[in-house]
Amino acid sequence: MHPSESVPFFITRVLAYCLNYQEGLEFSAGISEPDDPAIQVKGLTGQIELWIDIGNPAAKRIHKAAKSAKQVKIYTHKDIRKLVEDFKEEKVHKLEELGLYSMDQKFLNAVGATLERDNHWEMTLNEGELYVGVGKESFQCRIVPYSFTAEGG
């Protein structure tokens, strides 16, 4: 956990990593390097195949990401409506292809309250429902996707 991260941001970042796990997936220097995504997959040529941002990134940042990466996803622990408004106003590139997912703040805080120096989680995703087991405790959250359409949402 980076010192500048809030607990909900950190938990969202870790869960986004787990939910998108694939070969080559890595935490980038996105927290220390503001031009990098929080999580990424780079192809053999060095192009970013998958760009994942956390929180409420600026529309201009996502516009730039959508032009350079093959796929862009955002996992937010904040009000998704603000992101949607900003992205529509700024005319983000390939808006309809953007993956935008919302996680419940109470769920993130509850999982965050279990954090220790060494953490072991069991995760299951079933039809949009995420279950996280931490020791004897269990937490549940609906991963809410937002779909942009050509008509505007």
Side-chain angles (χ1 to χ4, degrees), residues 22 48-52 65 69-73 94 97:
Q22 60 184 282
I48 297 176
E49 301 284 328
L50 175 59
W51 175 298
I52 299 175
K70 288 187 178 179
Q71 185 179 19
V72 177
K73 294 183 178 183
K94 296 196 279 187
E97 297 175 27

Side-chain angles (χ1 to χ4, degrees), residues 73-148:
K73 294 183 178 183
I74 301 165
Y75 288 84
T76 188
H77 56 287
K78 299 187 177 197
D79 187 354
I80 198 169
R81 294 172 292 190
K82 173 83 170 104
L83 275 177
V84 170
E85 286 176 26
D86 290 350
F87 291 174
K88 287 180 182 177
E89 286 177 16
E90 292 289 328
K91 299 190 181 3
V92 172
H93 183 68
K94 296 196 279 187
L95 184 64
E96 294 82 16
E97 297 175 27
L98 186 68
L100 181 56
Y101 307 91
S102 177
M103 294 189 187
D104 181 62
Q105 187 77 247
K106 289 180 186 177
F107 163 81
L108 297 168
N109 286 331
V111 173
T114 70
L115 287 177
E116 296 182 11
R117 185 167 180 85
D118 187 21
N119 298 278
H120 300 277
W121 297 355
E122 293 180 12
M123 294 177 53
T124 303
L125 181 64
N126 184 20
E127 296 183 10
E129 289 291 327
L130 176 64
Y131 301 89
V132 177
V134 183
K136 294 181 180 180
E137 295 185 74
S138 180
F139 306 93
Q140 177 181 350
C141 172
R142 180 132 193 89
I143 305 295
V144 181
Y146 183 87
S147 177
F148 291 97

